[in-house]
């Protein structure tokens, strides 16, 4: 197609022998398995089911409580991989230019080398069927009559993703199990994630921005005036939610800032 170029890429990153912190004074054999019924009556915006039935919690030998001698080690179990595909384009339209792309990625963590068996829950994401997550961006500029230039961008991120998109951002449902709740538990508390990774994410973050700019020649003075609209459609995408199981579980903590306007001037002389 005249005036249009396209690119396609595949990216694969693998990280092996990832560091883990071992407590050399305590091992998994120093814990005893207990059982507690999972809480009920909690739901989230995506409808992902929280764990039900009896939940395993491990209590430490009371003689080893508080014993710590931590050493960082390379693990032959802990690894991570990132798989990504992206397509980009650049097109000349009249006197303007438009460019953008689509990216879909998968990031998987296997972090099962731990000394505390309470950390084994969902430690191997490669066994959980983690989903690919997609991002779309398009931006461009175009000259209008009267010397005005319009430019803008539209971004659509998978919920919770950032510019890098190289982390797994599924939501947790962290249940704090305390000694008063579980007979035989020697630790003051143990945090249990009741939500399988890959089943609950924040909603997509969509944002459109636009700018109008014009350069005015005033003798030896060059004045550039611009008018910006951020979050033009006043999207209220959720940026964070409460992940602690309790009365505020899954409640919204933060949303995308609302529509904003800005007028600016730049003078060159």
């Amino acid at each position: 197609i005249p005036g249009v170029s396209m690119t396609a890429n595949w990216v694969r990153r693998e990280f092996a022998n990832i560091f883990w912190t071992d407590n050399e004074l305590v091992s998994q054999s120093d814990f005893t398995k207990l059982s507690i019924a999972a809480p009920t009556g909690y739901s989230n915006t995506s409808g992902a089911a929280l764990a039900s039935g009896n939940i395993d919690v491990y209590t430490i030998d009371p003689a080893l409580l508080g014993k710590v001698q931590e050493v960082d080690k390379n693990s032959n179990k802990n690894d991570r991989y990132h798989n990504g595909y992206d397509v980009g384009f650049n097109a000349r339209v009249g006197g303007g230019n438009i460019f953008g792309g689509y990216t879909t990625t998968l990031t998987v963590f296997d972090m099962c080398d731990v000394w505390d068996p309470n950390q084994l829950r969902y430690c191997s994401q490669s066994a959980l069927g983690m989903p690919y997550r997609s991002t779309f961006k398009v931006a461009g500029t175009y000259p209008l009559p009267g010397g005005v230039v319009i430019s803008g961008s539209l971004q659509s991120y998978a919920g919770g993703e950032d510019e890098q998109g190289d982390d797994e951002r599924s939501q947790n449902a962290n249940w704090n199990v305390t000694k008063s709740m579980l007979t035989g538990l020697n630790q003051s508390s143990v945090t249990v994630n009741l939500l399988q990774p890959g089943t609950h994410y924040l909603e997509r973050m969509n944002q459109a921005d636009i700018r109008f700019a014009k350069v005015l020649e005033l003798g030896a003075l060059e004045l550039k005036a611009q008018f910006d609209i951020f979050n033009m459609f006043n999207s209220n995408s959720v940026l964070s939610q409460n992940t602690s199981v309790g009365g505020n579980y899954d409640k919204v903590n933060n949303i995308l800032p609302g529509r904003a306007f800005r007028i600016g001037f730049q003078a060159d002389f």
Side-chain angles (χ1 to χ4, degrees):
I1 303 174
V4 177
S5 63
M6 297 191 69
T7 60
N9 295 284
W10 169 58
V11 177
R12 172 82 177 189
R13 287 191 286 267
E14 297 185 8
F15 302 86
N17 304 118
I18 296 175
F19 275 119
W20 70 293
T21 300
D22 185 19
N23 183 356
E24 295 197 320
L25 300 182
V26 183
S27 68
Q28 291 188 23
S29 62
D30 296 317
F31 289 79
T32 301
K33 183 169 70 172
L34 304 174
S35 183
I36 185 172
T40 60
Y42 296 99
S43 61
N44 49 58
T45 52
S46 64
L50 274 64
S52 59
N54 290 330
I55 303 296
D56 293 337
V57 177
Y58 296 84
T59 183
I60 193 171
D61 183 337
L64 297 175
L65 193 63
K67 301 291 185 180
V68 178
Q69 183 176 299
E70 294 185 334
V71 177
D72 289 338
K73 300 178 179 180
N74 284 103
S75 170
N76 60 3
K77 296 180 182 178
N78 294 350
D79 56 50
R80 174 178 66 134
Y81 71 84
H82 172 86
N83 210 42
Y85 303 89
D86 66 82
V87 177
F89 72 94
N90 193 313
R92 294 189 298 272
V93 181
N97 186 59
I98 185 171
F99 56 92
Y102 174 84
T103 301
T104 185
T105 62
L106 171 68
T107 301
V108 174
F109 291 84
D110 287 326
M111 306 292 285
C112 295
D113 220 346
V114 295
W115 61 268
D116 182 348
N118 288 298
Q119 298 173 16
L120 290 173
R121 188 175 179 82
Y122 302 132
C123 68
S124 179
Q125 293 185 353
S126 60
L128 300 179
M130 303 298 290
Y132 275 82
R133 309 271 285 146
S134 301
T135 297
F136 173 75
K137 299 180 184 179
V138 63
T141 61
Y142 194 82
L144 299 176
V148 175
V149 176
I150 183 174
S151 60
S153 65
L154 172 64
Q155 305 175 74
S156 179
Y157 286 98
E161 298 293 334
D162 58 12
E163 289 287 344
Q164 299 299 318
D166 200 13
D167 289 323
E168 211 298 305
R169 300 298 183 89
S170 60
Q171 298 289 96
N172 292 338
N174 296 322
W175 183 36
N176 192 44
V177 180
T178 64
K179 295 176 66 172
S180 62
M181 298 164 56
L182 180 58
T183 302
L185 183 64
N186 294 316
Q187 302 95 305
S188 58
S189 65
V190 171
T191 300
V192 180
N193 179 19
L194 299 179
L195 195 58
Q196 178 178 310
T199 60
H200 177 38
Y201 292 89
L202 296 177
E203 64 185 50
R204 294 193 67 84
M205 192 282 284
N206 301 310
Q207 180 172 343
D209 304 319
I210 194 168
R211 166 178 291 179
F212 298 90
K214 180 177 176 62
V215 175
L216 304 173
E217 300 287 349
L218 304 174
L221 179 67
E222 182 179 272
L223 183 66
K224 181 180 180 181
Q226 61 190 45
F227 174 64
D228 299 300
I229 306 175
F230 301 103
N231 191 10
M232 183 171 61
F233 299 117
N234 206 31
S235 168
N236 62 349
S237 300
V238 175
L239 301 183
S240 67
Q241 290 175 306
N242 191 308
T243 59
S244 297
V245 173
N248 291 320
Y249 172 64
D250 212 46
K251 297 294 179 61
V252 174
N253 289 334
N254 190 25
I255 65 171
L256 188 68
R259 183 189 299 117
F261 304 91
R262 183 177 69 183
I263 298 175
F265 299 91
Q266 178 180 314
D268 297 315
F269 52 88

